[in-house]
Amino acid sequence: MVDVVALVDDLFFQAKLRETARQTGITLETAAKTEQLLAAAAANPAALVIVDLNAMDGALEAVEQLN
């Protein structure tokens, strides 16, 4: 089971998230595209979802579709 699902296409920000998750013992799944985020969120309904609003692949559309 994944604790956090994140839409992040910036590799440096993704690395920071992964390291923080590792240090705190949280399982993290990252997605670079909206479709990947939606699939991961559907597979892990109790997971916290993080959306980088600067993501190039429709971050606001991802937020709308999560509802």
Side-chain angles (χ1 to χ4, degrees):
M1 174 170 236
V2 175
D3 295 317
V4 178
V5 177
L7 173 65
V8 182
D9 60 1
D10 181 321
L11 294 178
F12 291 109
F13 186 40
Q14 194 177 87
K16 289 179 183 181
L17 285 175
R18 286 188 187 281
E19 182 59 22
T20 302
R22 185 191 65 77
Q23 289 178 1
T24 58
I26 293 172
T27 56
L28 170 71
E29 182 174 342
T30 59
K33 298 195 180 281
T34 301
E35 298 82 28
Q36 295 170 335
L37 174 75
L38 296 174
N44 302 287
L48 170 70
V49 177
I50 298 174
V51 177
D52 178 7
L53 295 178
N54 289 321
M56 302 285 267
D57 187 53
L60 294 177
E61 291 80 9
V63 171
E64 290 175 351
Q65 292 180 23
L66 282 169
N67 199 9

